[in-house]
Amino acid sequence: MKIGEGNSSMEELRTVHRDEKSIERMNYLISNKIDEILSNNQQKNFLEGIVYMGRDFSQIDSSKPEVELMFIYNDKNFEPIELTKKEIMEILSQTGMNISIMNKPDWYYSLEGRFQDRGEHPWEFIVRHGTIIYDKSGKLKELQTDLQNDLTLDNYTLFFSNDSCEFEPPIEYIPKQYRKIRALNTSTNKIASAS
């Protein structure tokens, strides 16, 4: 993935390789949480999209890699998404990775609101350079392109990009119906390879 696509400078996010089973488990747990949110009609209506950013601090200390999920919603009455301590510990024990969730309204990214918190929190950086894993109507992609074309953000890219990364295999949201198909294909492949 390129940092600063569009008219701004180009830079690659580092790729951090992780155990396939750990990522598969992370994708399953994240997907379950997203499906839970989308099963609530009110939350489903308010949720515009979800973008993910990987963090890896191993070059500095022994912290666990982290998945940051940012939920972007279109209404101030949206109930912020949170993980319980139990969910956080379950993810850590099953994947060896931490997870954090942020919630932001889409109006925050309007031109008028764009300079709030700049340099203090990486909100814009995450949307600008992260991987979109859910986009209800394409609005999140439009927002991402708009932020990528905002040259005033280039000065903040270097500050936040040091620990940012992509995980390989990738973090994905896999809707329930596709998880069943994947599970079926995996078990079929195992049977075929055993015979």
Side-chain angles (χ1 to χ4, degrees):
M1 180 165 97
K2 303 282 187 183
I3 288 184
E5 288 177 358
N7 297 324
S8 42
S9 60
M10 302 293 277
E11 185 181 337
E12 292 276 348
L13 274 184
R14 214 162 39 102
T15 298
V16 173
H17 294 276
R18 297 289 299 166
D19 175 71
E20 193 171 325
K21 286 185 179 178
S22 297
I23 295 293
E24 192 176 297
R25 194 67 192 145
M26 177 67 81
N27 289 338
Y28 177 80
L29 294 166
I30 288 173
S31 297
N32 277 347
K33 186 67 176 180
I34 294 171
D35 283 341
E36 177 189 316
I37 293 157
L38 295 177
S39 68
N40 178 315
N41 284 334
Q42 187 174 13
Q43 287 188 315
K44 183 178 182 177
N45 289 336
F46 294 158
L47 183 62
E48 278 299 329
I50 306 165
V51 63
Y52 128 80
M53 175 69 72
R55 299 279 187 205
D56 178 56
F57 308 96
S58 61
Q59 294 178 340
I60 302 168
D61 57 33
S62 59
S63 300
K64 302 286 185 188
E66 183 172 321
V67 172
E68 293 182 341
L69 294 178
M70 181 179 286
F71 289 81
I72 299 176
Y73 51 95
N74 59 24
D75 190 284
K76 65 181 181 182
N77 296 315
F78 182 82
E79 184 180 334
I81 306 303
E82 295 179 349
L83 290 172
T84 64
K85 285 185 179 177
K86 183 180 177 184
E87 287 173 320
I88 292 168
M89 292 312 296
E90 180 183 13
I91 288 170
L92 178 59
S93 68
Q94 292 189 31
T95 68
M97 300 170 76
N98 289 316
I99 188 165
S100 65
I101 287 185
M102 291 166 273
N103 298 275
K104 276 289 178 185
D106 60 3
W107 54 258
Y108 174 87
Y109 298 98
S110 67
L111 287 173
E112 297 79 22
R114 184 156 292 173
F115 293 94
Q116 297 177 45
D117 295 335
R118 181 163 286 178
E120 295 176 25
H121 301 289
W123 315 119
E124 293 163 315
F125 178 81
I126 292 171
V127 177
R128 192 185 200 212
H129 306 300
T131 301
I132 296 170
I133 61 173
Y134 174 78
D135 192 357
K136 180 168 67 179
S137 62
K139 190 174 179 182
L140 189 53
K141 183 59 185 169
E142 288 178 17
L143 173 60
Q144 186 176 64
T145 301
D146 185 33
L147 289 168
Q148 288 171 346
N149 289 325
D150 183 347
L151 302 182
T152 66
L153 290 171
D154 287 353
N155 294 332
Y156 299 93
T157 292
L158 293 175
F159 181 75
F160 292 118
S161 64
N162 291 337
D163 305 319
S164 302
C165 67
E166 291 183 318
F167 292 118
E168 182 59 43
I171 300 293
E172 302 175 280
Y173 162 56
I174 305 159
K176 199 175 289 184
Q177 65 269 26
Y178 297 112
R179 289 203 303 272
K180 289 177 184 173
I181 292 168
R182 271 192 185 189
L184 184 61
N185 288 341
T186 303
S187 62
T188 304
N189 289 341
K190 284 179 182 172
I191 291 167
S193 63
S195 54

